Amino acid sequence: MRCCGRSGATMGSISQKGGPGNSLAWRLCLSIPGGKRDEDLILPINSSLSVTLHQDQLKTTTTVAISKDFAEDRIWLNGREEDVGQPRLQACLREIRRLARKRRNTQDGDSLPFSLSHKVHVASVNNFPTAAGLASSAAGYACLAYTLAQVYGVESDLSEVARRGSGSACRSLYGGFVEWQMGEQADGKDSVARQVAPELHWPELRVLILVVSAEKKLTSSTVGMQTSVETSPLLRFRATSVVPARMAEMMRCIEERDFQGFAQLTMKDSNQFHATCLDTFPPISYLNDTSRRIIQLVHCFNTHHGRTKVAYTFDAGPNAVIFTLDDTVAEFVAAVRHSFPPEANGDKFLKGLQVRPAPLSDELKAVLAVEPTPGSVRYIIATQVGPGPQILDDPNVHLLGPDGLPKPDA
């Protein structure tokens, strides 16, 4: 990160993954999601797991500026100014400023080049669909918390700060495989994230994001989950009787790099998460017809091979996150192209990591046995497990100009 004096502003810019965890928290990927026992503190009713994806393919970039010349706090998301008064955003700002004030009060002298009463400008950009069930809020709030902490000189655990914005965001503060521990304390001090395994623990693991829709979902994750907590008996049963054993089993699968166990448990848990959505009243349906065809495709593909070679998971949206191993990527991408052929963007259908072309056998085509639906999958992002937040030193990639306003091309 670059911290410098510019027009009275202190600036910082951080690049952070887009998505897990189902999270992409993931929820951008693998996640064992659940509801919240405290909506204000954003405390979950069960622990959860996520995979952090690589910033080379999916990222949120955030720049923060603080200046005596700013009249008010302001925030821009993807080039559009948003309401800075949003309660969760304000909760993050208050907590960071509280921690900064606490640090200043316990040190001799003044280590910050600005007053804590100065206002802040924030600009954040996602390079993947926002509010479409791809954990953009998790990536965004993790990036925001980390960037604010760098600028304000806060060095404590940021789990609680990020969690105040989006529960899943606390997991996105770390790379690799991450657990969000539900905790037991009423104040949430023990509801924090911890890394289960680093990003290089499972180098063969690959992730394919099948973007079905980039549109904003009709029911937000926050509203949907709170309604589930209030009305779904299945969600309560799941949190107490299912998730603890699944958490233990999933961590074993990750530790031993057991893809068969990992894949099957991921799919089962995704299915049960969406079953709780249907058990909610009024029911919530995040999946669409293409989502269900992708589920069918995955099971047909695995049946053809006689073992589980790919796994799906869906967060609060229709977009699929596929887990597989490096030696299966090319064939499965070919199967997706066959079942969901691109309409006019064939050259842009596959983004991210390079995937060598692969032929699709007649036998597999016969097993798939579905009528192709052109354009149903808009594009695929190929990625892998990645690190946590990264500091950007290059001022050319900062999103705010010397005046503290978004750059025209940001």
Side-chain angles (χ1 to χ4, degrees), residues 91-101 116 144-146 148-149 152 154 158 161:
C92 288
L93 284 171
R94 281 196 305 271
E95 185 64 13
I96 281 288
R97 285 165 169 162
R98 184 189 69 80
L99 291 171
R101 189 174 296 108
L116 290 177
L144 175 66
Y146 192 84
L148 287 171
Y152 276 96
V154 172
L158 298 176
V161 179

Side-chain angles (χ1 to χ4, degrees), residues 9 65-73 118-121 403-405:
I66 302 174
S67 173
K68 61 181 176 56
D69 299 324
F70 296 160
E72 59 184 348
D73 294 332
H118 290 173
K119 302 302 181 181
V120 62
H121 285 188
D403 57 359
L405 298 177

Side-chain angles (χ1 to χ4, degrees), residues 95-383:
E95 185 64 13
I96 281 288
R97 285 165 169 162
R98 184 189 69 80
L99 291 171
R101 189 174 296 108
K102 179 180 178 182
R103 184 185 181 205
R104 174 175 285 183
N105 291 339
T106 57
Q107 292 182 340
D108 293 331
D110 190 347
S111 60
L112 294 178
F114 54 84
S115 169
L116 290 177
S117 65
H118 290 173
K119 302 302 181 181
V120 62
H121 285 188
V122 179
S124 188
V125 172
N126 300 320
N127 74 340
F128 60 97
T130 301
L134 288 177
S136 59
S137 61
Y141 274 106
C143 197
L144 175 66
Y146 192 84
T147 309
L148 287 171
Q150 294 292 316
V151 174
Y152 276 96
V154 172
E155 298 178 346
S156 60
D157 181 4
L158 298 176
S159 285
E160 187 171 3
V161 179
R163 195 194 72 223
R164 293 291 186 94
S166 170
S168 300
C170 68
R171 295 187 305 230
S172 298
L173 287 167
Y174 299 90
F177 303 82
V178 188
E179 177 190 13
W180 176 13
Q181 299 173 327
M182 64 174 289
E184 297 179 355
Q185 297 177 18
D187 62 4
K189 297 298 183 183
D190 59 346
S191 182
V192 297
R194 73 174 185 93
Q195 187 181 66
V196 173
E199 62 173 298
L200 300 179
H201 171 71
W202 202 343
E204 303 85 10
L205 191 65
R206 295 291 180 269
V207 182
L208 300 171
I209 299 167
L210 277 53
V211 178
V212 173
S213 172
E215 300 300 317
K216 184 176 181 179
K217 57 201 175 192
L218 296 177
T219 304
S220 72
S221 304
T222 299
V223 172
M225 192 57 70
Q226 188 59 28
T227 305
S228 294
V229 169
E230 295 169 355
T231 65
S232 171
L234 177 57
L235 181 67
R236 292 188 287 274
F237 171 79
R238 166 182 160 77
T240 57
S241 302
V242 178
V243 169
R246 283 188 173 174
M247 284 286 295
E249 177 64 10
M250 182 58 78
M251 284 193 276
R252 180 200 67 77
C253 291
I254 292 171
E255 180 182 359
E256 299 177 6
R257 295 188 287 274
D258 173 7
F259 185 78
Q260 294 281 307
F262 173 89
Q264 292 183 20
L265 190 52
T266 295
M267 290 187 285
K268 289 178 181 179
D269 203 75
S270 176
N271 294 343
Q272 191 177 78
F273 164 63
H274 288 279
T276 64
C277 292
L278 292 177
D279 189 50
T280 299
F281 192 82
I284 303 168
S285 182
Y286 289 116
L287 306 183
N288 62 19
D289 288 343
T290 301
S291 308
R292 287 180 277 272
R293 291 191 186 102
I294 292 170
I295 291 173
Q296 180 184 5
L297 170 65
V298 167
H299 286 294
C300 288
F301 187 93
N302 289 334
T303 298
H304 171 72
H305 286 284
R307 66 184 190 279
T308 304
K309 299 196 71 173
V310 293
Y312 57 78
T313 182
F314 294 83
D315 196 14
N319 302 303
V321 177
I322 302 294
F323 287 100
T324 189
L325 298 179
D326 184 51
D327 60 4
T328 307
V329 170
E331 186 183 23
F332 187 74
V333 167
V336 174
R337 278 186 177 272
H338 171 77
S339 300
F340 308 99
E343 288 183 322
N345 67 334
D347 58 332
K348 299 179 181 179
F349 187 66
L350 183 62
K351 305 179 181 184
L353 296 176
Q354 291 294 313
V355 177
R356 58 179 174 78
L360 200 63
S361 69
D362 292 336
E363 291 83 358
L364 181 52
K365 289 180 182 178
V367 169
L368 297 180
V370 293
E371 186 69 25
T373 54
S376 294
V377 172
R378 298 181 57 182
Y379 56 91
I380 303 171
I381 305 173
T383 185

